[in-house]
Amino acid sequence: MEIFTLLETLEETLENSRTVPFSGKSIVEKEELLDIIKEIRLKLPDELKQAKWVREERERILVEAQKEANDIVKEAENRIISMIDEHEITRKAYEQKAQIIETANEMSREISKGTKDYADNLLEKLEVVLEDALKTIQNNRRELK
């Protein structure tokens, strides 16, 4: 079962419990609720592992983007070295080198920003899910008390 299913089961158990007359309190099977809460706790690490994977994937993409940028810069430098025969060729080569480096840096920034935005978006969604789950658990615990 997923966390949401477990939370729904917990909620249904509380909603379907018998109430004590003339009070807002309910009678519930303690062991049944504790078992559901235990299952929720067991499922939470999977969500956390997913968040860790997203972070590691983001780092891998950033490293890959930096390597690609470095390869582009190295390729540009190698092209420039091979063009140092005359002064005009050298001047043009330096201009082209600067342009290629700027393009590579811009691509690197765009790739980095994109991966950061993607990872942040996934982590934000995960955070909302976990916060909702925590609020529900806290509310249910308050109601149990």
Side-chain angles (χ1 to χ4, degrees):
M1 275 196 235
E2 290 189 13
I3 292 174
F4 292 112
T5 306
L6 291 168
L7 290 172
E8 287 172 8
T9 303
L10 185 63
E11 187 175 31
E12 286 174 12
T13 302
L14 289 171
E15 287 176 357
N16 295 332
S17 64
R18 291 182 291 165
T19 59
V20 176
F22 305 111
S23 76
K25 299 184 181 202
S26 298
I27 299 172
V28 293
E29 292 290 328
K30 180 179 177 181
E31 288 301 317
E32 182 181 353
L33 293 180
L34 289 175
D35 287 343
I36 294 171
I37 290 170
K38 185 177 180 180
E39 283 188 56
I40 290 171
R41 283 195 178 120
L42 291 174
K43 295 293 181 184
L44 278 177
D46 290 338
E47 301 290 340
L48 296 176
K49 286 177 190 173
Q50 184 180 10
K52 181 182 177 192
W53 176 84
V54 168
R55 187 191 65 197
E56 289 171 351
E57 186 66 12
R58 175 185 160 266
E59 289 299 319
R60 184 192 66 76
I61 291 170
L62 288 173
V63 166
E64 195 174 295
Q66 186 61 48
K67 182 183 178 295
E68 187 177 329
N70 290 341
D71 289 347
I72 291 171
V73 169
K74 186 177 262 184
E75 181 182 332
E77 288 172 348
N78 289 339
R79 288 176 72 190
I80 289 171
I81 289 171
S82 68
M83 298 172 71
I84 298 185
D85 292 339
E86 298 177 22
H87 178 66
E88 184 63 24
I89 294 174
T90 303
R91 186 184 62 76
K92 287 182 180 180
Y94 280 115
E95 290 173 2
Q96 188 177 11
K97 173 188 172 188
Q99 185 179 18
I100 291 172
I101 289 172
E102 182 57 35
T103 302
N105 287 335
E106 184 177 321
M107 286 175 55
S108 175
R109 284 190 296 272
E110 288 176 12
I111 291 171
S112 178
K113 183 184 182 314
T115 56
K116 286 178 184 178
D117 290 346
Y118 173 74
D120 185 55
N121 188 24
L122 286 177
L123 290 173
E124 180 181 38
K125 288 178 183 177
L126 179 61
E127 182 180 24
V128 168
V129 168
L130 291 176
E131 285 175 354
D132 289 344
L134 182 61
K135 286 177 185 175
T136 303
I137 291 170
Q138 289 172 339
N139 287 338
N140 292 337
R141 288 188 67 207
R142 269 190 244 112
E143 288 180 20
L144 286 175
K145 289 180 182 180

